[in-house]
């Protein structure tokens, strides 16, 4: 098959996968139903096999799968096919993109910082100064595989909201029936509206699947936001993220609010477990691999949880409520919040600052904004916009008068005449003249250029959000016009598609640009765009590797739970569909993970559903045992899993 067809084939396939994962309801999917969404012809492609399948041990050398010449020398993509980049453009490109290059030393520094915050988050005295919330989850046991029952689950907080029916049978594969639903943006504002909406959807789901509405069901609720739990079925909502607002829920017990609405709508459904999506991922993975001790989400948002020695968690308010045999508990790190206190400032570029500034939660979840799928497309767009501004890429589009100069407040500014600014002195900037390189002194001085020069500087101040903020806020910024507008449609899924190119025909890159309405890209444009996307996603994967290595180190050093090998369960659209994310994580873990610890990264598909179901049924079984007097009175379950 020709290289071009190959690129197109990958491109179509990845689009289908992404589309399926993000938008289409899954029907009758079984636990690894993810594989059913993959075109069978491609099951064994390099892309699929890369996503968390290989077991890595410290003894092995880099294997073939981990070898990618471009990854080893990322600038080489700029030289494939002798794409012509002038040395001036090349230098400027390197200057603009250099902050995205990070070294192993920087990662080591990040690890030390993160370790410190982990420790602080587990101590009552230092907890409030830690960026990491390190939330106790009250999940103290791995699945036994003896769990059984038909359990409902809700999975809320990612790209989609999902309703699930999970059928657990001892020692058998779980069966999962699930449906994905889009949550309208209007429902992301108030919890009351949101929960009414999801309970209505749940009721319809139960009816469609012929569940007896008169029967009592147990439900596990995966709620992918930071919640401070005091029991498995009680959690105070702390911080909205990923574009959600839910202002009326902050400080409220999520279970209580949802349970009230469930009963109001006459459903006999009892929420017995509230879990984070990372916990679901860990539990679902542990159902198959009992060495699993870490759960990671790399999707719209990012986060991780891990099993901590219970004696090291000093923030559990009442230890008497724990099962007497508990030695470990899952801690939800909420690692997305790292950097809120400034500890990542050495990594933050101006582009990251801009992403943070235009987000609906500035200053919050800084680490998440460097990594996750919600921000990656936007971040690439920021960098590419700057490359357009500097005349490095899409020059033809600029020549077609589609540059930001012709739109909105920028357009207004470019009407500025020297007469308007006679009192302003400016001596830098870049003018578009019809005689470049000629009459330089005149351009610094004379009336023909002065207005334009001021406009350049002012445009840059708009770009930096320093002036005319209201215009920007009114969506009149350059982002909404011409090639910039096109670029700001860039999604993280497009980045995955672009990065499938090996740099020969750039078929995928061209395809993405075409979809965005940018038809004039040259090979050089494609090479630079591809390079930029790789840099940004590589930085994200390297940071993820460092953060995972910190948790591995903690596990390895924990006497109580010391193990020779651990498995890390990972889920999320970014990890599943980005062609190189897993590889870059693996390569850096080889350097950063504790030397004597063997590890395996595994995709933990449908974790949110299965994990929630496992936790919900375990809690319910404990409730029932308690009713029958089979559990000690002092048990945690007696005090916290109350029967209504
Ligand atoms: C939330 C986490 C969640 C993660 C992944 C973050 O924004 O704060 O609780 O696990 O996204 O969904």
């Amino acid at each position: 098959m020709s290289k071009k067809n190959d690129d197109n084939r990958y491109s179509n396939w990845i689009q289908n996968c992404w589309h399926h994962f993000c938008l289409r309801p899954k029907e009758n999917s079984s636990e690894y139903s993810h594989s059913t969404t993959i075109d069978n012809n491609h099951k064994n492609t390099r892309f699929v096999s890369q996503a968390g399948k290989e077991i890595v041990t410290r003894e092995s050398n880099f294997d073939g799968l981990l070898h990618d010449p471009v990854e080893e020398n990322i600038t080489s993509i700029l030289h494939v096919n002798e794409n012509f980049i002038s040395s001036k453009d090349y230098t400027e490109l390197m200057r603009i993109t250099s902050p995205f290059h990070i070294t192993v030393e920087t990662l080591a520094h990040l690890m030390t910082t993160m370790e410190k915050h982990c420790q602080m988050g587990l101590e009552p005295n230092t907890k409030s100064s830690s960026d990491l919330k390190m939330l106790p989850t009250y999940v103290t046991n791995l699945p036994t595989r003896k769990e059984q029952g038909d359990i409902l689950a809700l999975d809320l907080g990612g790209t989609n909201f999902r309703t699930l029916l999970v059928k657990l049978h001892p020692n058998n594969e779980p069966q999962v029936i699930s449906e994905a639903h889009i949550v309208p943006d209007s429902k992301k504002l108030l919890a009351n509206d949101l929960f009414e909406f999801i309970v209505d959807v749940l009721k319809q789901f139960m009816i469609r699947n012929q569940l007896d509405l008169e029967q009592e069901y147990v439900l596990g609720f995966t709620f992918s936001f930071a919640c401070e739990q005091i029991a498995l079925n009680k959690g105070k909502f702390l911080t909205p993220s990923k574009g959600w607002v839910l202002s009326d829920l902050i400080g409220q017990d999520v279970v209580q609010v949802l349970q009230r609405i469930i009963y109001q709508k006459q459903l006999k459904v009892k929420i017995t477990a509230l879990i984070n999506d990372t916990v679901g991922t860990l539990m679902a993975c542990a159902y198959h691999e009992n060495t699993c001790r870490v759960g990671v989400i790399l999707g719209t948002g990012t986060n991780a949880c891990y099993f901590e020695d219970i004696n090291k968690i000093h923030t559990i308010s009442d230890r008497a409520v724990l099962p007497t045999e508990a030695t470990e508990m899952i801690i939800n790190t909420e690692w997305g919040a790292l950097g809120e206190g400034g500890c990542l400032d050495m990594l933050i570029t101006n582009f990251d600052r801009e992403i943070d500034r235009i987000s609906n939660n500035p200053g919050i979840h800084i680490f998440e904004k460097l990594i996750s799928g919600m921000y990656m497309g936007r971040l690439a767009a920021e960098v590419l916009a700057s490359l357009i501004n500097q005349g490095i890429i899409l020059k033809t589009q600029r020549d077609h008068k589609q540059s930001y100069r012709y739109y909105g407040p920028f357009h207004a500014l470019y009407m500025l005449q020297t007469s308007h600014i006679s009192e302003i002195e400016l001596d830098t900037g870049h003018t578009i003249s019809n005689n470049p390189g000629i009459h330089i002194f005149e351009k610094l001085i004379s009336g023909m250029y002065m207005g334009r020069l001021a406009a350049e500087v002012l445009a840059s101040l708009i770009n930096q959000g320093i002036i005319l903020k209201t215009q920007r806020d009114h969506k009149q910024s350059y982002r909404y016009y011409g090639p910039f507008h096109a670029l700001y449609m860039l999604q993280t899924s497009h980045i995955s598609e672009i990065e499938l190119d090996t740099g020969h025909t750039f078929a995928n890159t061209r395809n993405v640009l075409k979809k965005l309405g940018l038809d004039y890209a040259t090979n050089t444009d494609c090479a630079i765009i591809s390079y930029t996307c790789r840099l940004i996603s590589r930085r994200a994967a390297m940071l993820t590797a460092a953060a995972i290595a910190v948790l591995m180190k903690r596990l390895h050093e924990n006497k109580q739970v010391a193990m020779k090998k651990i498995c890390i369960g990972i889920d999320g659209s970014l990890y599943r569909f980005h062609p190189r994310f897993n590889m870059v994580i693996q390569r850096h873990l080889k350097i950063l993970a504790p030397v004597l610890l063997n590890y395996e990264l595994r995709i933990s598909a449908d974790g949110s559903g299965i994990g929630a179901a496992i936790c919900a049924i375990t809690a319910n079984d404990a409730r029932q045992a308690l009713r029958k007097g089979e559990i000690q009175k002092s048990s945690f379950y007696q005090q916290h899993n109350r029967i209504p």
Side-chain angles (χ1 to χ4, degrees):
M1 182 172 293
S2 76
K3 184 85 204 90
K4 189 167 177 178
N5 284 343
D6 222 33
D7 284 350
N8 275 335
R9 203 182 59 161
Y10 274 132
S11 150
N12 292 339
W13 174 73
I14 198 165
Q15 277 300 307
N16 286 341
C17 283
W18 196 279
H19 187 72
H20 193 106
F21 184 75
C22 293
L23 295 174
R24 281 186 42 201
K26 286 185 196 163
E27 284 157 20
N28 293 335
S29 48
S30 71
E31 195 252 354
Y32 281 103
S33 62
H34 166 60
S35 59
T36 64
T37 68
I38 296 174
D39 176 349
N40 278 338
N41 296 332
H42 298 103
K43 260 190 181 151
N44 297 321
T45 60
R46 191 175 71 117
F47 174 78
V48 175
S49 68
Q50 276 206 355
K53 297 273 164 81
E54 65 264 90
I55 295 181
V56 179
T57 63
R58 296 299 302 181
E59 289 76 38
S60 68
N61 288 321
F62 285 168
D63 58 39
L65 280 172
L66 297 184
H67 178 77
D68 174 358
V70 177
E71 158 56 21
E72 279 158 29
N73 176 8
I74 195 162
T75 52
S76 65
I77 190 112
L78 295 169
H79 308 295
V80 182
N81 293 345
E82 289 162 6
N83 305 309
F84 180 73
I85 307 177
S86 71
S87 63
K88 185 173 142 280
D89 283 359
Y90 192 86
T91 313
E92 192 57 10
L93 171 65
M94 290 302 134
R95 186 188 65 74
I96 292 173
T97 55
S98 64
F100 287 95
H101 284 278
I102 48 175
T103 60
V104 171
E105 286 72 30
T106 312
L107 295 179
H109 177 69
L110 165 71
M111 285 176 66
T112 316
T113 309
M114 184 171 156
E115 275 176 72
K116 206 175 81 198
H117 282 265
C118 282
Q119 192 50 46
M120 287 182 349
L122 293 172
E123 303 290 342
N125 300 340
T126 46
K127 194 175 152 216
S128 61
S129 351
S130 168
D131 284 359
L132 300 184
K133 296 190 180 66
M134 305 297 279
L135 302 164
T137 61
Y138 292 83
V139 177
T140 54
N141 289 314
L142 288 168
T144 57
R145 285 194 74 110
K146 295 201 183 104
E147 297 84 1
Q148 67 174 317
D150 289 0
I151 305 127
L152 289 168
L154 291 177
D155 175 9
L156 184 74
T159 311
N160 295 314
F161 149 58
R162 294 197 306 148
T163 42
L164 304 100
L165 176 65
V166 182
K167 297 175 184 240
L168 294 175
H169 314 282
N171 302 316
N172 261 320
E173 285 304 293
Q175 284 175 288
V176 181
I177 300 171
S178 76
E179 288 180 5
H181 317 267
I182 291 169
V183 180
D185 282 345
S186 60
K187 302 273 182 239
K188 294 182 178 172
L189 302 175
L190 292 173
N192 213 53
D193 292 353
L194 173 69
F195 287 177
E196 296 236 347
F197 166 77
I198 67 172
V199 175
D200 287 340
V201 174
L202 175 68
K203 189 167 191 173
Q204 290 312 313
F205 172 78
M206 292 173 73
I207 293 169
R208 263 194 302 280
N209 287 290
Q210 289 155 7
L211 299 187
D212 179 359
L213 296 187
E214 290 310 308
Q215 195 189 311
E216 207 183 270
Y217 283 90
V218 161
L219 182 139
F221 184 26
T222 304
F223 188 61
S224 309
F225 298 100
C227 291
E228 187 172 345
Q229 292 192 239
I230 52 157
L232 190 54
N233 62 351
K234 284 190 195 329
K236 206 165 48 166
F237 179 56
L238 295 178
T239 338
S241 52
K242 300 172 283 194
W244 296 66
V245 179
L246 307 180
S247 46
D248 58 336
L249 195 63
I250 296 174
Q252 302 289 316
D253 176 1
V254 178
V255 174
Q256 207 177 40
V257 178
L258 180 61
Q259 187 70 73
R260 182 172 40 79
I261 296 175
I262 289 178
Y263 287 153
Q264 269 167 10
K265 298 211 177 242
Q266 320 284 320
L267 288 183
K268 294 188 173 158
V269 172
K270 167 79 183 149
I271 309 169
T272 58
L274 169 74
I275 61 165
N276 187 258
D277 49 354
T278 54
V279 176
T281 299
L282 192 163
M283 292 299 271
C285 187
Y287 194 79
H288 293 93
E289 172 53 63
N290 69 2
T291 60
C292 185
R293 292 292 183 279
V294 180
V296 178
I297 294 285
L298 291 164
T300 311
T302 183
N303 187 15
C305 69
Y306 73 106
F307 265 102
E308 180 59 87
D309 177 347
I310 211 153
N311 296 320
K312 295 193 175 162
I313 313 172
H314 299 126
T315 48
I316 300 169
S317 37
D318 183 3
R319 278 168 183 266
V321 302
L322 296 172
T324 40
E325 69 284 0
T327 56
E328 306 170 55
M329 183 188 283
I330 299 183
I331 289 289
N332 169 13
T333 64
E334 287 293 332
W335 78 19
L338 193 69
E340 289 180 5
C343 71
L344 296 180
D345 285 359
M346 82 285 186
L347 281 172
I348 308 291
T349 67
N350 283 340
F351 303 108
D352 298 309
R353 279 194 192 95
E354 182 62 4
I355 292 300
D356 181 42
R357 198 190 67 77
I358 59 179
S359 69
N360 79 339
N361 57 351
I364 305 292
H365 275 217
I366 302 297
F367 194 58
E368 178 160 276
K369 288 172 185 158
L370 300 180
I371 291 178
S372 78
M374 171 141 183
Y375 305 98
M376 194 180 282
R378 202 59 195 259
L379 190 54
E382 283 291 332
V383 182
L384 295 176
S386 159
L387 297 178
I388 302 185
N389 276 349
Q390 298 305 318
I392 297 170
I393 54 166
L394 299 176
K395 297 184 198 201
T396 347
Q397 299 268 353
R398 275 171 76 107
D399 295 349
H400 281 77
K401 305 213 167 191
Q402 291 188 25
S403 108
Y404 70 89
R405 293 194 167 74
Y406 296 89
Y407 302 96
F410 295 89
H411 179 58
L413 272 177
Y414 284 104
M415 300 293 104
L416 204 68
Q417 301 292 315
T418 303
S419 56
H420 297 138
I421 56 145
S422 54
E423 73 274 33
I424 303 170
E425 298 222 357
L426 301 156
D427 62 358
T428 54
H430 140 138
T431 59
I432 307 284
S433 67
N434 69 349
N435 56 352
I438 307 291
H439 275 221
I440 302 299
F441 193 59
E442 178 166 279
K443 284 171 189 159
L444 294 178
I445 291 174
S446 76
M448 171 152 182
Y449 302 100
M450 196 174 285
R452 195 59 187 262
L453 195 50
E456 284 291 333
V457 178
L458 295 176
S460 151
L461 296 179
I462 302 185
N463 276 351
Q464 297 306 316
I466 296 167
I467 58 165
L468 295 178
K469 295 185 200 197
T470 347
Q471 298 273 351
R472 274 169 77 104
D473 295 346
H474 282 81
K475 307 209 163 188
Q476 291 189 25
S477 101
Y478 70 87
R479 292 193 168 77
Y480 297 89
Y481 302 98
F484 293 88
H485 178 57
L487 272 178
Y488 284 104
M489 300 292 108
L490 199 71
Q491 305 285 322
T492 304
S493 60
H494 293 135
I495 295 194
S496 292
E497 191 175 342
I498 288 172
E499 289 196 44
L500 283 167
D501 278 339
T502 48
H504 294 276
T505 60
F506 290 111
N508 293 307
T509 307
R510 239 174 258 288
N511 200 27
V512 168
L513 293 175
K514 229 189 201 121
K515 278 188 270 185
L516 302 178
L518 297 166
D519 298 324
Y520 302 102
T522 62
N523 248 8
T524 306
D525 290 335
C526 291
I528 296 176
I529 290 168
S530 198
Y531 168 74
T532 308
C533 293
R534 278 172 185 253
L535 257 187
I536 291 172
S537 67
R538 188 177 70 151
R539 181 188 68 161
M542 285 166 81
L543 296 175
T544 307
I548 293 177
V550 170
L551 302 186
M552 289 166 81
K553 193 158 171 254
R554 265 200 95 82
L555 280 163
H556 191 54
E557 286 168 2
N558 259 338
K559 294 270 177 320
Q560 187 89 298
V561 290
M563 296 165 77
K564 290 211 166 59
K565 182 204 154 200
I566 60 160
C567 170
I568 294 141
I570 312 191
D571 201 5
S573 44
L574 180 61
Y575 183 71
R576 289 201 205 182
F577 301 125
H578 187 280
R580 226 170 279 96
F581 218 81
N582 171 62
M583 182 191 67
V584 179
I585 293 179
Q586 302 260 22
R587 282 170 62 94
H588 287 86
L589 276 182
K590 279 177 183 283
I591 305 164
L592 304 171
V595 175
L596 294 173
L597 184 63
N598 290 339
Y599 55 90
E600 175 191 1
L601 304 191
R602 263 194 184 217
I603 282 198
S604 175
D606 260 350
S608 307
I610 294 167
I614 294 168
C615 293
I617 200 66
T618 309
N620 192 56
D621 290 349
R623 262 171 85 217
Q624 299 200 335
L626 180 70
R627 265 185 176 159
K628 291 189 209 143
E630 288 165 14
I631 291 187
Q632 292 278 308
K633 283 208 177 277
S634 63
S635 150
F636 146 69
Y637 296 106
Q638 183 194 13
Q639 300 190 31
H640 288 282
N641 291 301
R642 292 192 201 106
I643 304 148

